[in-house]
Amino acid sequence: CYDRPSYASFLERGGGGTMILSLLRLPLAVLNSVRQLVSQTFFVAVLFSVITWTSILLYGVFYWNYIPKSSHVYPVHLHFESRACPAGFCDFLMANVTIVRPGQDDYLARGQRYKIYLDLEMPESEANQRIGMFTVVLDMISEDGEVLKSTHRSGVLRYKSMLVKIFSTLAYIPMLLFGSAEEKQIVSLQLFEKYVEDYSKPATQAGLVIRNSHIEVYTATLKIFADFTGLRYLLYNWPLTSAIVGISTNFFFVSLVALLSWNHLTPAKPKPRRRLSADKKKAAEKAKLEDDAEETEGDTSSDVSSGQPDIVKETKEARKIRKKKELDEKTGNTLRQLFGAALHESSTSLSSLIGDQEASSSTRQRTPT
């Protein structure tokens, strides 16, 4: 089917061998390009994941250390203890609440502002209604027993008229019978509005005293809430937005550091040296020879003018010294000329002054007295 002479001539020219080699090399070239693309993609993916997780880790560490615990809840176990009162000694309800356990670094954040509340669960009994208002004292105590801050607050049960009590009791009879509801009130007292923990002496205990010996209390709870402001307020109240902004910022700076480190650690490619052509080399050599000839001519002329018989090539330092001497000689000659001119003018003015004086004296002698 083939035209044998033309096919043979084609093979003799080498076209068939070149085509076969190119066809054999094509899969290898494609494979190399695919492998290079896969390796580059894998490297970029690994680098991106490392930078991303590093940014997330940095933001998490910052958030964990910068944002303190927002709330602390402590149960209060009240007991009666005799204290001095106007009537002598009274049995007041007291409690010591441990804020920080010994050996544990769980203090309140230094410099952070807190709000401290005391919730009293009190029955709506006749005794509580009869005592009316009562006073609660809170002392923040350091580890060595020093009272850092103290506050006094008063509380009272909410008033309910007899008619309201009757209707509420009738409405809640089923729940009251089955125990799902109780006739009680929760009195919440704000003991500290802006409590700031001391840097040098943090509080470890809280001392509570209810100054009434007839009060009835079911349970008591001490609650401490952090009052965030500024950056902490933004981070705590908008955590998702803050996380996006913080992680993006960390990603930018970590990427910048990685890029600068890569450029610094990567060896610089040697710059290709430009080859001078023969004409440029000849021109440079010619210019150099001309400069040397001019310097030699200047040296010979200076030697001839100074009266030296031999032509000696001066060095740069010798030329500088010679020029300095010539400048000094010129300056001295100029100063001498100026000084001579000044002397000549002064002598001329002095002689003219003497002549004027003699003429004036002669005229005075001629005039009769």
Side-chain angles (χ1 to χ4, degrees), residues 56-103:
I56 294 172
L57 180 63
L58 290 175
Y59 179 78
V61 171
F62 168 75
Y63 188 89
W64 182 265
N65 292 325
Y66 187 69
I67 302 297
K69 192 176 180 180
S70 60
S71 62
H72 303 265
V73 180
Y74 305 97
V76 179
H77 304 287
L78 297 169
H79 62 277
F80 284 97
E81 186 174 338
S82 297
R83 285 293 182 94
C85 62
F89 286 93
C90 301
D91 293 333
F92 291 154
L93 285 173
M94 298 185 60
N96 289 324
V97 182
T98 302
I99 299 176
V100 180
R101 295 180 181 178

Side-chain angles (χ1 to χ4, degrees), residues 176-194:
L176 292 173
L177 291 176
F178 289 102
S180 59
E182 296 180 2
E183 292 181 320
K184 64 180 181 180
Q185 292 185 19
I186 296 177
V187 180
S188 182
L189 303 177
Q190 186 177 7
L191 302 177
F192 279 104
E193 184 179 1
K194 296 179 181 179

Side-chain angles (χ1 to χ4, degrees), residues 57-322:
L57 180 63
L58 290 175
Y59 179 78
V61 171
F62 168 75
Y63 188 89
W64 182 265
N65 292 325
Y66 187 69
I67 302 297
K69 192 176 180 180
S70 60
S71 62
H72 303 265
V73 180
Y74 305 97
V76 179
H77 304 287
L78 297 169
H79 62 277
F80 284 97
E81 186 174 338
S82 297
R83 285 293 182 94
C85 62
F89 286 93
C90 301
D91 293 333
F92 291 154
L93 285 173
M94 298 185 60
N96 289 324
V97 182
T98 302
I99 299 176
V100 180
R101 295 180 181 178
Q104 294 184 359
D105 189 12
D106 194 16
Y107 296 97
L108 300 178
R110 273 74 163 178
Q112 175 60 42
R113 191 169 62 186
Y114 289 93
K115 293 182 179 180
I116 302 178
Y117 295 88
L118 178 65
D119 291 346
L120 297 175
E121 188 178 358
M122 302 172 60
E124 295 178 344
S125 61
E126 294 181 0
N128 286 335
Q129 292 177 359
R130 188 166 48 251
I131 63 175
M133 297 187 69
F134 55 91
T135 303
V136 177
V137 181
L138 176 65
D139 297 330
M140 303 301 291
I141 305 171
S142 63
E143 188 175 1
D144 55 359
E146 181 183 356
V147 178
L148 302 175
K149 291 183 181 180
S150 181
T151 182
H152 295 69
R153 291 291 185 272
S154 60
V156 67
L157 283 175
R158 297 289 178 181
Y159 173 74
K160 288 184 179 180
S161 63
M162 185 60 66
L163 186 61
V164 172
K165 287 182 181 179
I166 292 172
F167 280 107
S168 62
T169 304
L170 292 175
Y172 286 97
I173 280 178
M175 290 177 283
L176 292 173
L177 291 176
F178 289 102
S180 59
E182 296 180 2
E183 292 181 320
K184 64 180 181 180
Q185 292 185 19
I186 296 177
V187 180
S188 182
L189 303 177
Q190 186 177 7
L191 302 177
F192 279 104
E193 184 179 1
K194 296 179 181 179
Y195 175 78
V196 180
E197 186 74 352
D198 192 2
Y199 284 91
S200 58
K201 291 183 178 181
T204 58
Q205 291 184 355
L208 276 168
V209 179
I210 301 177
R211 291 187 174 180
N212 195 294
S213 57
H214 303 288
I215 192 171
E216 296 175 352
V217 179
Y218 283 150
T219 58
T221 306
L222 184 67
K223 297 180 180 180
I224 302 176
F225 299 103
D227 187 14
F228 295 124
T229 56
L231 182 59
R232 286 178 175 172
Y233 179 82
L234 297 176
L235 293 175
Y236 183 77
N237 291 281
W238 287 278
L240 183 59
T241 306
S242 302
I244 292 172
V245 174
I247 293 172
S248 302
T249 305
N250 291 337
F251 185 86
F252 171 75
F253 283 106
V254 172
S255 302
L256 183 62
V257 171
L259 182 61
L260 294 176
S261 302
W262 178 267
N263 292 333
H264 182 70
L265 296 176
T266 303
K269 295 182 180 179
K271 295 182 179 180
R273 297 181 179 179
R274 297 181 179 178
R275 296 182 179 179
L276 296 175
S277 60
D279 297 336
K280 290 184 179 180
K281 287 183 178 180
K282 290 180 180 179
E285 291 177 357
K286 186 176 180 181
K288 188 176 181 181
L289 291 174
E290 289 178 356
D291 294 338
D292 294 340
E294 289 178 357
E295 290 180 359
T296 306
E297 289 177 359
D299 295 339
T300 53
S301 61
S302 61
D303 292 337
V304 170
S305 62
S306 60
Q308 295 179 358
D310 298 331
I311 300 174
V312 182
K313 187 176 180 180
E314 294 180 344
T315 60
K316 292 183 179 180
E317 294 181 357
R319 284 199 296 271
K320 289 181 180 179
I321 294 170
R322 180 174 53 78

